Amino acid sequence: MKTFRIAVIGCGAISGNHINAIIGSGNKICALCDILPERAQEKIEKFELDNVPIYTDYVELLEKEKPDSIHICTPHYLHAEMVIAALGRGIHVLCEKPLAINMEQLHAVLAAEEASTAKLGVCQQNRYEPRMLWLIDYIKEHGVKSGLGIVSWKRDAKYYASGPWRGKILEEGGGVMINQALHTLDLLQHLCGMPTHVTAHTSNDYHKDCIEVEDTATAHFELPDGMMCHFYGTTAATADLPVQLQFVTMDKVRVIAGNDFVLLNGKPVEIEDTRDHANLVGKTVWGTGHAILIRDFYNCITEGRPFRVSGKEAAKVVRLILSMYQSNGQRIEILS
């Protein structure tokens, strides 16, 4: 296996998952970048990195270090421009979600992906959780008649104050849907298929004093075959509740699933838990899929295989979310 020289851009909380997984996959971190160099220095000390330069300008990093690949762990509004800059130089990119925060960015990123010889992947890591992999196979075999996704978490003023971009429409691009609930909606779409229409409501009901974006959202999705899927998300709960996906299969089995459980008609399914909890970095709600996803990304590059969460694939959930924002209670076609 080739050893990739990888730079991590953005050294906030989620970057620890990437650094840990890069080291664990046998690849080399060649540089770190953050507008606050002390944050990069903290990661160097925490992960005992030797001779790793720190940059505050990602373009300078790309030009001087010429890495094989970059991992983008910056605030949402910077993702698209950084993806395009790297792909245009033939540098592989693994980007944190969301891939983009508006349709103009999304079209530009997909054009850059199409034109580049490098590979683009997106960290929608819940697709790699063991129970989700089992569920994907189960739904493929049994089919689905109806689906529902639920994300009910608590986020308060302290959380939104933890980064100047959080809760800001121009920097975060939205609220509960594009940040917290994206992964669950991605799985719902992946399991049920891509909708053609949506009727959605988004509102800021409980955090008016600290954010500009939605804290609550509901959506009714219509698929080409007439199937309906539904979604509910909020960051205004009084405590974090387990994320849930619910389905009725074509043979009328009721499925309720999350990263930690699968129930079929109310009975738990025993699924081998291959997750590496001992080396988990960051919040438990992020799951343990980063390490598996990152290893697979570099295996795909080495072996010339398609990566399962390419830019084109990751764009689907962004289109759903941006369509929800545009709906405003009206039935509209999914943006394309």
Side-chain angles (χ1 to χ4, degrees), residues 28 38 42 56 64 80 91 99 107 115 129 134 148-149 164 183 186 196 211 229 249 280 284 288 291 306:
K28 177 180 174 59
E38 60 269 23
E42 287 173 3
T56 56
K64 287 187 176 180
I91 296 169
L99 183 57
H107 290 150
E129 292 286 345
W134 183 93
L148 167 68
H183 291 295
D186 172 59
T196 58
I211 64 174
C229 291
T249 66
L280 179 65
T284 57
T288 60

Side-chain angles (χ1 to χ4, degrees), residues 261-277:
F261 64 94
V262 176
L263 303 176
L264 299 183
N265 288 332
K267 296 180 180 179
V269 179
E270 294 297 326
I271 299 168
E272 183 182 3
D273 192 343
T274 57
R275 296 175 294 177
D276 186 5
H277 292 281

Side-chain angles (χ1 to χ4, degrees), residues 83-102:
V83 168
I84 293 166
L87 290 179
R89 291 170 169 82
I91 296 169
H92 303 297
V93 180
L94 191 59
C95 183
E96 269 296 329
K97 59 78 183 169
L99 183 57
I101 62 171
N102 56 54

